[in-house]
Amino acid sequence: MVKTTHATKIKYDAESDSLAIYYADSKSSKSVENGDIIVDIDYKNQVVGLEFLSATKILSGIAKKELTAEMLQGITSGNLQVKQFGNNIVVTFTIVFADKKLRNLKATAFIPSFGKCTGLSVPLPFSGTKNSSNKSG
């Protein structure tokens, strides 16, 4: 198993309703589109970022509650983690909201045979996990 941990940046653009979460120290050399989710890959074929088009719709589905553009503009930080098991990868991301009434959003997707793909042949089945409380410390 290969696990990568990097400093993560997260940006939400309300005008286009897109959210990008990516490794701050990595550069994408190509992108693979899968519907409204774009996976950014570096020259070593490692996942270095995700972009959600129609972010309010996708993230609301993951959170199982409505998230508005205003809520997404209140994101304070995020984390992206990629674990590789041979040709398979597991991508997990966490989003932290400024509004303490909202819970942090955490989701995971398993992408089989990623290393063999030129493009993603399966939908990215992000599933929300237990939302953690938005408490410091």
Side-chain angles (χ1 to χ4, degrees):
M1 174 179 75
V2 176
K3 179 179 169 184
T4 52
T5 305
H6 301 270
T8 304
K9 287 195 175 186
I10 189 164
K11 293 182 182 177
Y12 176 69
D13 181 334
E15 188 173 317
S16 65
D17 188 30
S18 63
L19 182 130
I21 184 165
Y22 56 94
Y23 292 144
D25 61 350
S26 299
K27 288 191 176 190
S28 171
S29 63
K30 63 182 172 180
S31 297
V32 178
E33 292 187 37
N34 188 297
D36 283 344
I37 300 174
I38 299 170
V39 180
D40 291 323
I41 303 164
D42 69 7
Y43 71 96
K44 297 180 198 174
N45 276 340
Q46 301 296 313
V47 173
V48 295
L50 298 171
E51 183 173 359
F52 299 95
L53 309 177
S54 304
T56 52
K57 177 182 171 189
I58 293 170
L59 297 176
S60 291
I62 293 169
K64 296 180 174 61
K65 68 181 263 181
E66 183 180 1
L67 297 175
T68 65
E70 292 78 23
M71 290 173 180
L72 296 182
Q73 286 174 314
I75 292 172
T76 58
S77 63
N79 184 42
L80 176 66
Q81 186 176 56
V82 178
K83 295 178 186 175
Q84 185 174 349
F85 303 89
N87 286 320
N88 306 310
I89 62 171
V90 176
V91 178
T92 302
F93 70 89
T94 305
I95 297 172
V96 179
F97 295 95
D99 185 343
K100 301 299 181 200
K101 294 176 187 171
L102 295 174
R103 295 189 174 267
N104 297 343
L105 176 62
K106 184 175 184 179
T108 300
F110 173 73
I111 308 172
S113 302
F114 185 80
K116 297 179 180 177
C117 297
T118 55
L120 295 175
S121 59
V122 294
L124 292 175
F126 276 103
S127 61
T129 60
K130 245 186 199 179
N131 290 343
S132 57
S133 87
N134 196 4
K135 294 180 182 174
S136 300

